[in-house]
Amino acid sequence: MIDLDPIQPICIAGQWHQGGGDLYHSLYPATGEVIARLHAASLEDVEAAIVGADRAFRESGWAQRKPHERAAVLYRIAALIRERSEALAQLQRLDNGKPIRETRNLVASAAATFQFFAAACETLEETITPSRGDFVTLSVYEPMGVVAAITPWNSPIASEAQKLAPALAAGNAVVLKPAEVTPLAALALARICIDAGLPPGLVSVLPGKGSVIGDALTRHPLVKRVSFTGGTRTGKHIARIAADKMMPVSMELGGKSPTLVLADADLDHAVAGVLYGIFSSSGESCIAGSRLFVTREHYAPFMELLAAGAAALRVGDPADERTQMGPLITAQHRESVERYVELGLQEGGRLRTGGRRPQGEVFDRGYFYTPTIIEGLSNDARLCQEEVFGPVLVAMPFDSEEALLEEANASCYALAAGIWTRDFQRAWRLGRALQAGTVWINTYKQFSIATPFGGWRDSGLGREKGRLGILQYMEQKSLYWGLNEQPLAWAGGQR
Ligand code: NDP
């Protein structure tokens, strides 16, 4: 456990002090114990953080440093994350209750993200475009100023690094609003940025309620871009505010991703992939493969294997290296998942496995829920269309590839999809026809920082990651550099 006393300070324009808002407790989802006490940021803190960020952006010289000099600081941040990796992984486990094996991977991914964007920064090329007149034309990029980053609770350190690293690499200042219930990783990251030599003021972390702090950040005239990860409803609210400011936003939102198991799939691989796709991170994952379509001819045996696999998953103490599924984030969120399961049953679904809280001393105080599979629904049921964000899979048989594609694409979301088949032509055909930002073929939920990520439709706007991820945080500018030996012809004859 971390030290409960004194109250955690927050980071406002490079200064550490207590927030001006209400005192609140951060709880460990596995036991409900208090792991940290802190004051939320106040609206005055928001103002101070943004004004301080703007000053640091204009006066610290960060934006004017050569790209390789900014990169050097980012490499140091990556090195410090690695140096402190075990402490960060334990902190993240306490903050959101994910199993320690997963939080170690998230910390490694955060370090890799800083390393990658350091490299992207020092190798970013600006171009001389083909000239069509007596001028040289160039396309260059400029930082934007103060960027607001707003993140959810499900993978804090990784999603926060995914915004901080490219935004800082691009030369901006960042004001980060982590989810109210998971403030600790963001605060630890801010400390690392400062320890690595980032000029003070360029990073602030403002824990507190999104409807207050996040809203004020989004509306502030000095904030030039919002990078948001969270629910679709919140994303649309932010996008409306951004429209009035004509401010660019990027949105990583929800999903209801289909997984397709075809007749020629390797069943062992498909079972393992589907289990991992939906139940890892307790299903609290935007890319969870939560809608399963299995060819009718293999549906019964496949579901037999899948249900047995789900029932055998090790749900339990997140500190135990063998645990595969930890608790859900809060008591309220578990109730929301339970309501969805009830809804599915009311809609005519049948419970294949799970659908209850696990029993036993280890589960008594935490927000645990068993891996759940529901069958017998059609794709237009609410449980098949709405994001549960928990360990709940809906499974449906399909008869033809045509019907399969239609149903898989019939969703307001289009974040990710999975295909299990050994037929490479079919994989290609379906992979191209599925409407989703990411399609996994014979694998699921694998990530590379070098590969763009984002959603279509209600799943989002813009792309994070990939070399071009840095450009989300820059404005493009064209330069025309005249070479004329004579005055411009239009007015030139007047003298
Ligand atoms: P929310 O949209 O409720 O919250 C996300 C963040 O936005 C939190 O920091 C929240 O603060 C803040 N927020 C809430 N209201 C406002 C507002 N009016 N203005 C500005 N900020 C606000 O989502 P959840 O935290 O419940 O996260 C789960 C959602 O995130 C799921 O839908 C999931 O699919 C999506 N997600 C998407 C990912 C992607 O990459 N596509 C990755 C991970 C999650 P507070 O903590 O106070 O609520």
Side-chain angles (χ1 to χ4, degrees):
M1 291 287 154
I2 63 170
D3 188 6
L4 278 182
D5 217 27
I7 292 170
Q8 295 279 308
I10 66 175
C11 181
I12 301 170
Q15 305 294 315
W16 290 88
H17 49 80
Q18 286 182 16
D22 292 342
L23 180 68
Y24 78 99
H25 294 162
S26 186
L27 306 180
Y28 182 32
T31 61
E33 281 169 88
V34 175
I35 51 158
R37 296 186 298 149
L38 66 164
H39 282 274
S42 63
L43 289 176
E44 290 73 28
D45 294 333
V46 175
E47 184 66 22
I50 295 174
V51 168
D54 180 60
R55 187 179 312 117
F57 174 71
R58 287 182 291 105
E59 296 176 6
S60 71
W62 176 248
Q64 290 73 35
R65 281 195 203 175
K66 301 276 179 289
H68 71 277
E69 293 168 346
R70 286 203 300 273
V73 176
L74 267 70
Y75 285 124
R76 276 202 294 280
I77 296 174
L80 281 182
I81 292 175
R82 291 191 175 114
E83 234 174 87
R84 300 176 195 177
S85 60
E86 186 56 22
L88 287 167
Q90 297 293 354
L91 189 70
Q92 172 85 93
R93 168 181 70 79
L94 292 168
D95 217 10
N96 81 340
K98 280 196 181 207
I100 187 67
R101 267 164 60 189
E102 262 186 62
T103 61
R104 286 193 183 120
N105 288 338
L106 291 175
V107 172
S109 137
T113 299
F114 276 95
Q115 180 177 321
F116 180 84
F117 281 108
C121 172
E122 64 179 345
T123 57
L124 180 69
E125 290 182 353
E126 296 173 322
T127 46
I128 298 183
T129 56
S131 174
R132 295 178 72 94
D134 289 337
F135 40 72
V136 175
T137 47
L138 302 101
S139 174
V140 300
Y141 300 100
E142 308 288 1
M144 297 173 135
V146 181
V147 168
I150 303 178
T151 51
W153 41 259
N154 61 327
S155 304
I157 199 162
S159 45
E160 281 145 16
Q162 237 162 268
K163 298 187 187 309
L164 273 174
L168 292 173
N172 301 292
V174 185
V175 180
L176 171 60
K177 209 294 289 170
E180 188 187 19
V181 293
T182 53
L184 301 182
L187 291 167
L189 263 185
R191 238 177 237 293
I192 285 176
C193 289
I194 293 166
D195 290 352
L198 193 75
L202 285 175
V203 171
S204 290
V205 176
L206 303 178
K209 287 205 183 313
S211 54
V212 180
I213 305 301
D215 200 75
L217 263 179
T218 307
R219 291 179 195 277
H220 201 287
L222 285 176
V223 168
K224 302 300 182 205
R225 161 177 271 281
V226 172
S227 174
F228 174 76
T229 300
T232 299
R233 188 183 308 178
T234 317
K236 287 184 178 177
H237 172 79
I238 290 173
R240 282 186 206 105
I241 298 170
D244 277 343
K245 288 171 68 181
M246 201 51 83
M247 169 177 69
V249 286
S250 50
M251 298 277 160
E252 299 290 349
L253 308 176
K256 192 77 190 180
S257 300
T259 303
L260 287 39
V261 179
L262 300 158
D264 57 7
D266 179 319
L267 290 193
D268 289 339
H269 283 231
V271 167
V274 172
L275 289 173
Y276 178 64
I278 177 65
F279 296 124
S280 59
S281 310
S282 303
E284 293 173 328
S285 165
C286 53
I287 39 145
S290 50
R291 276 189 303 149
L292 174 65
F293 296 92
V294 184
T295 177
R296 194 177 294 278
E297 57 185 300
H298 292 154
Y299 185 81
F302 185 83
M303 291 308 296
E304 205 56 47
L305 290 171
L306 191 73
L313 290 173
R314 290 184 297 274
V315 182
D317 178 1
D320 185 331
E321 311 269 344
R322 292 163 308 162
T323 293
Q324 289 163 298
M325 257 179 67
L328 299 179
I329 186 75
T330 58
Q332 296 88 319
H333 185 57
R334 178 170 63 177
E335 283 163 20
S336 153
V337 170
E338 287 173 329
R339 280 196 298 276
Y340 265 117
V341 170
E342 261 170 51
L343 171 73
L345 301 181
Q346 281 161 15
E347 288 183 300
R350 293 183 309 277
L351 196 58
R352 177 69 188 241
T353 185
R356 60 183 177 80
R357 300 179 183 190
Q359 303 298 309
E361 207 181 321
V362 67
F363 305 114
D364 279 355
R365 291 177 301 149
Y367 319 125
F368 294 90
Y369 198 70
T370 47
T372 299
I373 301 177
I374 293 183
E375 298 176 278
L377 290 171
S378 64
N379 189 53
D380 54 4
R382 274 183 61 195
L383 190 65
C384 299
Q385 290 294 320
E386 295 179 21
E387 186 183 40
V388 176
F389 218 57
V392 179
L393 175 71
V394 283
M396 293 164 273
F398 70 87
D399 293 304
S400 72
E401 196 176 302
E402 208 180 12
L404 170 66
L405 257 182
E406 200 173 308
E407 298 217 313
N409 285 336
S411 167
C412 65
Y413 296 112
L415 188 60
I419 304 170
W420 296 89
T421 177
R422 281 185 278 209
D423 178 338
F424 75 92
Q425 284 156 324
R426 214 173 192 195
W428 176 252
R429 200 165 58 236
L430 288 169
R432 295 305 301 257
L434 279 167
Q435 295 163 1
T438 297
V439 176
W440 285 288
I441 299 168
N442 293 330
T443 186
Y444 201 88
K445 219 175 164 184
Q446 302 301 309
F447 274 124
S448 155
I449 184 63
T451 308
F453 175 75
W456 304 2
R457 301 203 284 265
D458 275 9
S459 290
L461 269 183
R463 294 290 177 271
E464 289 194 323
K465 305 185 176 180
R467 282 178 67 79
L468 300 184
I470 191 172
L471 296 185
Q472 291 228 7
Y473 298 96
M474 304 186 99
E475 290 285 12
Q476 186 276 341
K477 179 192 283 175
S478 297
L479 291 174
Y480 284 67
W481 192 329
L483 303 173
N484 318 54
E485 305 227 335
Q486 302 298 323
L488 290 177
W490 185 81
Q494 299 194 357
R495 286 166 78 242

